[in-house]
Amino acid sequence: MNKYLGQLIELQKLDIEIDSFKPKIKEARSELDSILSKHSNTLLKIESLEEEIKDVELKKRKNELHLEELSQKLKELSSKSNAVKSEKEIKALQLEEDIAKEQVDFANDEIERFEKLKEQKKSEIEELKKSYEDLKAELEKIEIQTNTKLEKIEEEKREVYDRKQKLLSSMTQNVIVFYEKIRRWAGNTTVIPVKKQACYGCYMRINDNTYAEVIKGEDITTCPHCGRILYMEHQEEKEEA
Ligand SMILES: [Zn+2]
């Protein structure tokens, strides 16, 4: 086989290996990332509950103010009732007083309801703070484990990069540029085997001349349809021989 072709096949193998590190890193980080997201979600929930409490306090305060107004009004009504004489006036005042008292009851109920709501939200926050602390402890533990895994992957990665660097330094610049240009669109199928006289990248049949060139393997041959670099797999060579 052509020396350059052999180098290109090897180069692609290393590139495929390099690409495989990304999912490996993601996998190694998955547990840590999931706890991290739970951790920050818990914090967000706490913050939003604190906002809700402020809102509840505001509503409660409004009712308290209303209650003050109502008690003022009831005082006024009671002093007025001492002054009025006619039956009609007494009835009208009585009605006003009844309405005000009803409003007092309602405001009191509301205040009580908001107070309960506030307590409920406060205890939710306490629960969340507890799980926040638990997650923090877990996070520290998982972080150590993850870092160990990541360091190992980094080491493997460095080793593959070293091998690639060594290979590249032994290759001709033109060949590398040619490969990189195709790789931009073909990715890990830049150098592709021919099977049953078809390019295994685009699955199109290649003509007899090209096929003969690929079998000879003296030059770098590209697929006439898609432009990928073609090579003959040893096994097939044997089968067809
Ligand atoms: Zn092709």
Side-chain angles (χ1 to χ4, degrees):
M1 189 192 280
N2 175 294
K3 175 187 156 204
Y4 300 127
L5 193 55
Q7 287 173 330
L8 285 173
I9 293 169
E10 184 57 25
L11 180 59
Q12 179 165 275
K13 262 189 207 159
L14 292 172
D15 277 336
I16 290 172
E17 219 175 313
I18 286 168
D19 283 351
S20 77
F21 285 116
K22 218 175 162 184
K24 271 188 203 163
I25 290 170
K26 202 178 166 205
E27 163 65 26
R29 285 194 57 95
S30 64
E31 202 181 351
L32 180 67
D33 284 341
S34 130
I35 296 173
L36 274 173
S37 104
K38 269 187 215 159
H39 196 244
S40 61
N41 277 342
T42 308
L43 199 60
L44 283 176
K45 272 188 211 156
I46 290 174
E47 281 169 2
S48 106
L49 277 168
E50 278 166 351
E51 281 304 307
E52 287 171 31
I53 285 179
K54 274 186 204 161
D55 185 52
V56 168
E57 274 171 345
L58 204 69
K59 284 177 179 160
K60 190 184 145 206
R61 185 72 199 127
K62 269 186 191 165
N63 276 281
E64 282 166 351
L65 287 173
H66 192 207
L67 206 56
E68 281 168 28
E69 285 167 17
L70 288 167
S71 88
Q72 188 59 35
K73 193 177 178 182
L74 281 170
K75 257 188 224 160
E76 282 166 21
L77 288 172
S78 127
S79 61
K80 262 191 209 169
S81 70
N82 294 329
V84 295
K85 298 277 178 307
S86 78
E87 185 87 357
K88 201 179 162 193
E89 279 173 320
I90 292 169
K91 265 194 179 164
L93 275 178
Q94 188 63 50
L95 187 65
E96 246 188 288
E97 200 181 288
D98 285 350
I99 291 170
K101 277 180 181 164
E102 241 172 65
Q103 286 176 329
V104 166
D105 285 345
F106 183 72
N108 274 324
D109 286 350
E110 284 292 272
I111 289 167
E112 197 184 325
R113 187 168 73 87
F114 288 131
E115 192 54 48
K116 269 186 194 157
L117 206 56
K118 191 176 135 185
E119 287 313 310
Q120 189 190 324
K121 287 184 192 297
K122 267 188 180 171
S123 76
E124 270 177 59
I125 288 179
E126 284 315 306
E127 284 293 310
L128 285 170
K129 276 185 178 163
K130 251 184 248 160
S131 63
Y132 184 79
E133 287 307 313
D134 290 347
L135 281 169
K136 211 165 139 188
E138 207 184 335
L139 200 60
E140 277 161 20
K141 199 182 81 192
I142 299 294
E143 214 157 27
I144 295 168
Q145 290 174 4
T146 305
N147 283 342
T148 312
K149 279 187 215 163
L150 288 175
E151 271 164 30
K152 200 168 159 260
I153 294 172
E154 268 316 306
E155 207 175 292
E156 286 170 27
K157 211 170 141 183
R158 267 199 302 276
E159 196 256 329
V160 178
Y161 271 109
D162 282 351
R163 266 157 60 204
K164 184 178 172 179
Q165 215 42 54
K166 213 179 266 178
L167 177 63
L168 285 176
S169 65
S170 74
M171 287 174 77
T172 311
Q173 194 57 29
N174 287 349
V175 177
I176 299 170
V177 171
F178 184 61
Y179 166 84
E180 288 297 341
K181 220 167 154 186
I182 302 170
R183 185 172 161 77
R184 243 172 265 156
W185 59 267
N188 287 332
T189 63
T190 301
V191 190
I192 204 81
V194 169
K195 289 180 183 175
K196 297 195 169 84
Q197 205 175 329
C199 162
Y200 214 58
C202 67
Y203 303 103
M204 299 270 279
R205 192 175 184 279
I206 53 172
N207 59 48
D208 292 344
N209 275 347
T210 309
Y211 192 46
E213 271 178 43
V214 176
I215 292 172
K216 259 194 255 164
E218 283 170 1
D219 287 310
I220 294 176
T221 311
T222 52
C223 170
H225 309 289
C226 69
R228 287 179 174 89
I229 300 162
L230 299 174
Y231 71 96
M232 206 65 204
E233 268 188 335
H234 291 301
Q235 214 169 344
E236 273 215 11
E237 252 176 311
K238 259 184 247 159
E239 276 171 14
E240 304 217 348

